[in-house]
């Protein structure tokens, strides 16, 4: 059983896979069409519960805690593999469950995991849904629609750009809201669009606080850099795993891979975490004057995260794939949780179309 209470109708299990022991939430009929749900950073499987319960009766929901999060066994994330530690963990889980093909949905960092899965093993995927995903080129350190590095060492991405106060308070399991960087304040300010408050705020905060903290976990290690803002990615932990330094040829492999599962891309109209002017991006913070010494738009502009995603998906479609972009009005970084009455019908239609 997991450490966070779950909603009625869901099953909490520990499952031993060849790579790692995973905590997994499950719902729906055991012979249903599988839907693998991949949570984001500073969260856990708890963030999927309402989505799981809303699935049509022909689907089986499977929401694991990723390596580094929740009640899954504590093992390091080798960031030099990009998101592949997570992809391999998830495929190992589905193998143990005897599920060769499945739908996959990823939120935020989970969307970055989905990009990697589509590049490495698209033959396993019936359809993909990405909700406010990180750019396919990685989070931070790039400019332009084609994901050009701002610096040769990818300065401005990785573990060094995480707010250390946020990580410190996470490590202390701090549940208050006195500080701007307190986990509860960050969740209610950025995970959704204020003044929205989720009715299961305490359980979701517990999910946020479940992430493993440390120099080789979150926020991760980093290297000093001669390039602004002075830090480059290290080799361990989630923040480094989504750095463009370790994406490699993942985008090109996704664009040339066969088959090409249909992709649904959903984003919130007012997302401040993944946007073309993200408040979690060094280029944006430099331009705003919040990080000193900004070298200007020519060298390190705000990363056009949404523009990069659309650029890649349009190339995906031009290469024989299919994608649909949906923007959910008046929502932030978690539109599936803020407006499930809008998200669920779109998501269910995508699953049914790809299952038929």
């Amino acid at each position: 059983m997991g450490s966070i209470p779950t909603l009625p109708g869901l099953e909490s299990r520990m499952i031993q896979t060849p790579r790692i022991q995973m905590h997994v939430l499950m719902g729906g009929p055991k012979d249903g069409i599988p839907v693998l749900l991949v949570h984001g950073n500073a969260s856990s499987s708890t963030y999927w519960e309402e989505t799981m319960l809303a699935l049509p009766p022909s689907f089986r929901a499977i929401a694991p805690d990723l390596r580094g999060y929740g009640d899954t066994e504590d093992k390091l994330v080798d960031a030099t593999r990009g998101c592949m530690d997570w992809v391999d963990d998830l495929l190992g889980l589905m193998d143990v469950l005897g599920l060769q093909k499945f739908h996959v949905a990823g939120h935020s960092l989970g969307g970055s995991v989905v990009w990697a899965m589509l590049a490495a093993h698209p033959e396993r995927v019936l359809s993909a849904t990405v909700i406010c995903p990180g750019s396919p080129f990685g989070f931070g350190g790039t400019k332009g629609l084609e994901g050009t590095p701002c610096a040769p060492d990818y300065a401005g991405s990785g573990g060094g750009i995480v707010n250390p106060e946020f990580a410190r308070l996470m490590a202390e399991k701090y549940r208050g809201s006195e500080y701007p960087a307190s986990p509860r304040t960050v969740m209610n300010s950025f995970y959704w669009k204020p003044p929205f408050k989720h009715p299961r705020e305490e359980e979701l905060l517990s999910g946020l606080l479940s992430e493993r903290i440390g120099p080789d976990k979150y926020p991760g290690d980093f290297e000093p850099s001669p390039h602004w803002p002075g830090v480059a990615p290290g080799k361990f932990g989630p923040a480094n795993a989504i750095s463009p330094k370790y994406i490699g040829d993942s985008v090109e492999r996704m664009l040339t891979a066969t088959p090409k599962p249909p992709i649904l891309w959903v984003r919130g109209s007012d997302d401040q975490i993944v946007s073309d002017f993200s408040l979690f991006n060094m280029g944006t913070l430099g331009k705003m004057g919040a990080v000193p010494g900004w070298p200007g738009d020519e060298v390190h502009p705000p990363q056009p995260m949404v523009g990069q995603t659309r650029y890649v998906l349009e190339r995906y479609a031009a290469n024989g794939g299919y994608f649909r972009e949906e923007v959910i009005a008046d929502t932030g970084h978690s539109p599936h949780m803020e407006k499930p009455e809008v998200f669920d019908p779109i998501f269910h239609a995508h699953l049914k179309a790809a299952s038929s």
Side-chain angles (χ1 to χ4, degrees):
M1 290 289 289
S3 59
I4 301 172
T6 56
L7 292 170
L10 296 176
E11 178 190 7
S12 168
R13 288 175 59 188
M14 298 300 297
I15 297 178
Q16 184 65 53
T17 78
R19 291 172 53 83
I20 193 168
Q21 188 179 52
M22 301 187 84
H23 172 246
V24 187
L25 298 182
M26 295 184 171
K30 288 186 168 48
D31 60 350
I33 302 165
V35 182
L36 176 64
L37 301 163
V38 188
H39 65 77
N41 188 47
S43 65
S44 71
S45 57
T46 304
Y47 283 67
W48 285 116
E49 291 188 31
E50 287 81 2
T51 305
M52 298 172 77
L53 290 169
L55 281 179
S58 55
F59 292 95
R60 171 92 168 146
I62 301 161
D65 289 336
L66 292 174
R67 172 188 297 238
Y69 302 83
D71 293 309
T72 285
E73 180 185 355
D74 186 9
K75 282 192 173 181
L76 291 183
V77 175
D78 178 358
T80 66
R81 303 187 69 224
C83 291
M84 286 307 297
D85 263 0
W86 292 313
V87 170
D88 289 345
D89 289 347
L90 292 169
L91 294 178
L93 170 67
M94 300 310 267
D95 288 345
V96 167
L97 295 174
L99 301 170
Q100 185 59 30
K101 288 179 176 275
F102 48 87
H103 300 276
V104 63
H107 172 227
S108 192
L109 174 141
S112 301
V113 176
V114 171
W115 299 136
M117 188 177 287
L118 289 172
H121 290 285
E123 76 284 351
R124 301 288 299 267
V125 178
L126 295 168
S127 80
T129 300
V130 286
I131 306 165
C132 305
S135 163
F137 293 113
F139 195 93
T142 67
K143 58 186 176 181
L145 297 183
E146 297 179 16
T148 306
C150 296
D153 61 359
Y154 299 90
S157 69
I161 68 168
V162 174
N163 183 331
E165 185 72 356
F166 177 61
R168 182 183 71 79
L169 293 168
M170 286 174 72
E172 292 176 9
K173 308 288 188 192
Y174 178 75
R175 301 186 74 94
S177 53
E178 287 89 321
Y179 309 108
S182 71
R184 186 188 298 273
T185 302
V186 169
M187 182 175 76
N188 284 325
S189 302
F190 296 105
Y191 284 29
W192 17 87
K193 182 182 177 181
F196 178 86
K197 287 280 188 79
H198 198 281
R200 298 181 70 228
E201 181 178 332
E202 297 309 318
E203 289 88 345
L204 296 173
L205 179 61
S206 295
L208 188 166
L209 295 172
S210 74
E211 182 167 8
R212 309 305 198 289
I213 307 298
D216 54 1
K217 296 173 186 179
Y218 183 78
D221 55 334
F222 56 90
E223 302 285 339
S225 171
H227 307 283
W228 187 87
V231 288
K235 295 181 176 176
F236 295 101
N240 289 311
I242 57 173
S243 163
K245 179 174 183 176
Y246 304 121
I247 296 295
D249 62 352
S250 171
V251 171
E252 288 306 316
R253 286 192 296 128
M254 183 178 121
L255 294 175
T256 56
T258 51
K260 286 190 169 56
I263 298 174
L264 171 64
W265 171 31
V266 180
R267 58 188 184 87
S269 60
D270 300 282
D271 189 351
Q272 298 184 86
I273 296 178
V274 172
S275 74
D276 288 345
F277 204 71
S278 164
L279 293 178
F280 290 70
N281 175 255
M282 284 289 139
T284 305
L285 295 173
K287 188 166 188 163
M288 291 169 61
V291 177
W294 182 59
D297 273 322
E298 191 74 20
V299 176
H300 204 124
Q303 181 185 359
M305 301 179 184
V306 171
Q308 288 177 350
T309 299
R310 190 177 297 114
Y311 169 78
V312 169
L313 288 176
E314 284 174 348
R315 288 182 63 200
Y316 188 81
N319 283 7
Y322 166 86
F323 86 95
R324 175 179 171 186
E325 178 183 355
E326 290 282 353
V327 183
I328 298 185
D330 204 34
T331 61
H333 189 58
S334 308
H336 60 305
M337 301 173 74
E338 297 168 79
K339 290 198 173 177
E341 71 280 4
V342 179
F343 170 80
D344 286 340
I346 297 167
F347 182 43
H348 300 169
H350 177 65
L351 295 176
K352 287 175 178 173
S355 298
S356 60

